[in-house]
């Protein structure tokens, strides 16, 4: 990982502060919070996937069994859960690409902070497109 | 034997490893490579299942029948299953290493991870490739439109 030269303050701001020693990407501020969110979203997706493989396996039991479980996925509370899941996936995916760029792109560590805000921006755009569409589907199902 | 004391502030170095495969390095590479492929697979999965058409409303047995009678979606889902389970479990292994402080706790948790990965990958793969979109005797209105009316 590239270190900021003493005295220069690179745009990625790996410069030392009172609380953070020089050249540390994962302690404090954007670098750390992106890591915390990446962890939490990763765990959430993993546990979802365990359940998801089991519920999909019901197609081998009976069409009725599968449809019964799927109908619970269509109620509004689950609809909000699915929205949160998509939010978690979108963050984990975009920030995963940011991590890969930090590791492999020579300028990655320098721009890690900028890239964090790009991740947030892409996430907001994705959710702005997805959430209204999904909630319309979910809430138009209510009462049917 | 004389004790050698390293000069203060000499740079950190570890003995070069020469024998065996560096599993941690390949695990690290795997997390990144699988991540890139998963972006495409999962976003595609979510767009087809949640956004296009009627989204979640449309999902039922007949919907799955339509998708898994096409080898394209069978291979898609199978790849997604293997890559995501191994990526997720390897990520969880990192968490166990970080937070479980006792050797036996770590062993038990990693054993549980390995066990669940093997069981769920086997189950998921079997489900995809043994799936019958038109099971005999099932009510025709629950099945895909291409099934012969029973
Ligand atoms: C959407 C595409 C995805 C991308 C681009 C991606 C990328 C990454 C990357 C780059 C890492 C860091 C690995 C490291 O530090 O060595 C990671 C960690 C992780 N990922 Fe993913 N991932 C994706 C999907 C998933 C899925 C589907 C799951 C769950 C099944 C998951 C669970 C995890 C977990 C639990 C970690 C460990 C977190 C940590 O060590 O703090 N990821 N991911
Ligand atoms: C709420 C969002 C989701 C819905 C409604 C959904 C729906 C479905 C449906 C209907 C199937 C059956 C086959 C197909 O349509 O391709 C399926 C299978 C599958 N999904 Fe999802 N999915 C969602 C999210 C996810 C996520 C986030 C992942 C990855 C982490 C994922 C991974 C899989 C896998 C691996 C299979 C194959 C399972 C098997 O082999 O038995 N899904 N999903």
């Amino acid at each position: 990982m590239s270190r900021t030269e003493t005295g220069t303050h690179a745009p990625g701001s790996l410069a030392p502060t009172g609380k953070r020693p020089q050249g540390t990407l994962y302690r404090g501020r954007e670098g750390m919070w992106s890591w915390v969110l990446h962890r939490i979203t990763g765990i959430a997706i993993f546990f979802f996937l365990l359940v998801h493989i089991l519920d999909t396996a019901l197609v081998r039991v009976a069409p009725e069994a599968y449809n019964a479980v799927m109908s619970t996925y269509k109620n509004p509370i689950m609809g909000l859960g699915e929205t949160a899941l998509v939010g978690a996936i979108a963050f984990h995916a975009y920030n995963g690409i940011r991590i890969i760029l930090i590791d492999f792109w020579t300028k990655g560590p320098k721009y890690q902070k900028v890239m964090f805000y790009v991740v947030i921006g892409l996430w907001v755009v994705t959710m702005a497109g997805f959430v209204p569409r999904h909630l319309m589907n979910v809430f138009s199902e209510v009462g049917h | 034997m004389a004790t050698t004391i390293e000069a203060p502030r000499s740079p950190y170095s570890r003995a070069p490893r020469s024998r065996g495969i560096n599993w941690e390095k390949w695990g690290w590479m795997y997390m990144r490579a699988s991540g890139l492929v998963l972006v495409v697979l999962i976003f595609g999965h979510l767009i087809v299942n949640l956004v296009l058409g009627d989204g979640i409303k449309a999902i039922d047995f007949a919907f799955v029948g339509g998708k898994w009678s096409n080898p394209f979606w069978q291979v898609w889902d199978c790849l997604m299953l293997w890559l995501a389970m191994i990526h997720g479990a390897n990520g969880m292994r990192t968490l166990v290493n970080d937070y479980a402080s006792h050797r036996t706790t770590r062993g038990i948790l990693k054993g549980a991870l390995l066990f669940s990965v093997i069981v769920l990958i086997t189950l998921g793969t079997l489900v995809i490739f043994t799936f019958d979109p038109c099971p005999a005797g099932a009510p025709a209105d629950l099945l895909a439109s291409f099934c012969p009316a029973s």
Side-chain angles (χ1 to χ4, degrees):
Chain A
M1 195 180 77
S2 79
R3 272 167 170 266
T4 317
E5 299 291 323
T6 320
T8 59
H9 287 232
S13 180
L14 297 178
T17 66
K19 289 199 176 126
R20 183 184 52 208
Q22 187 177 13
T24 305
L25 199 149
Y26 289 106
R27 201 200 281 182
R29 298 181 61 90
E30 292 84 352
M32 182 178 90
W33 292 110
S34 64
W35 170 82
V36 170
L37 282 172
H38 199 81
R39 273 220 150 155
I40 295 174
T41 52
I43 302 169
I45 303 163
F46 180 73
F47 283 110
F48 164 80
L49 186 57
L50 300 186
V51 177
H52 187 47
I53 293 171
L54 294 175
D55 64 50
T56 304
L58 288 174
V59 295
R60 294 293 291 118
V61 177
E64 291 86 348
Y66 184 74
N67 289 355
V69 168
M70 279 303 128
S71 67
T72 66
Y73 276 78
K74 298 171 191 176
N75 85 39
I77 294 174
M78 292 302 269
L80 296 178
E82 289 140 16
T83 310
L85 175 72
V86 171
I89 298 264
F91 179 84
H92 192 95
Y94 297 148
N95 191 58
I97 296 171
R98 171 179 164 273
I99 296 176
I100 296 170
L101 287 172
I102 293 173
D103 291 338
F104 289 102
W105 179 36
T106 29
K107 298 221 173 75
K110 183 172 161 190
Y111 291 119
Q112 63 93 7
K113 201 168 165 182
V114 181
M115 289 195 289
F116 178 71
Y117 289 104
V118 173
V119 166
I120 300 294
L122 287 174
W123 184 85
V124 169
V125 171
T126 308
M127 295 310 277
F130 173 76
V131 173
R133 176 94 193 94
H134 185 61
L135 292 186
M136 249 149 64
N137 283 330
V138 169
F139 284 94
S140 65
E141 178 79 3
V142 176
H144 282 236
Chain B
M1 198 182 101
T3 317
T4 49
I5 298 171
E6 274 190 61
R9 290 172 181 269
S10 51
Y12 171 75
S13 74
R14 72 177 104 202
R17 37 176 307 158
S18 50
R19 272 183 305 128
I21 301 170
N22 187 346
W23 287 103
E24 284 303 331
K25 179 181 112 183
W26 288 109
W28 187 92
M29 289 298 269
Y30 173 84
M31 291 306 276
R32 278 139 189 88
S34 63
L36 287 180
V37 183
L38 281 169
V39 174
V40 177
L41 294 176
I42 296 179
F43 276 52
H45 185 67
L46 292 174
I47 289 170
V48 171
N49 288 6
L50 282 183
V51 178
L52 298 183
D54 285 335
I56 188 118
K57 276 198 283 183
I59 294 179
D60 56 14
F61 187 85
F63 176 92
V64 182
K67 271 184 97 175
W68 281 351
S69 50
N70 183 343
F72 177 82
W73 290 117
Q74 287 184 311
V75 172
W76 184 291
D77 284 352
C78 189
L79 261 178
M80 185 164 63
L81 170 75
W82 284 69
L83 291 176
M85 276 305 288
I86 296 172
H87 176 107
N90 192 231
M92 293 300 287
R93 189 181 62 94
T94 306
L95 272 117
V96 171
N97 283 336
D98 281 358
Y99 299 123
S101 43
H102 293 286
R103 208 186 136 79
T104 32
T105 324
R106 280 199 298 276
I108 292 168
L109 289 174
K110 287 188 215 170
L113 279 172
L114 184 64
F115 175 77
S116 46
V117 170
I118 291 173
V119 169
L120 287 169
I121 286 185
T122 312
L123 174 71
T125 308
L126 284 174
V127 165
I128 295 175
F129 292 105
T130 64
F131 175 69
D132 177 4
C134 311
D141 61 332
L142 296 184
L143 305 183
S145 53
F146 54 75
C147 292
S150 49

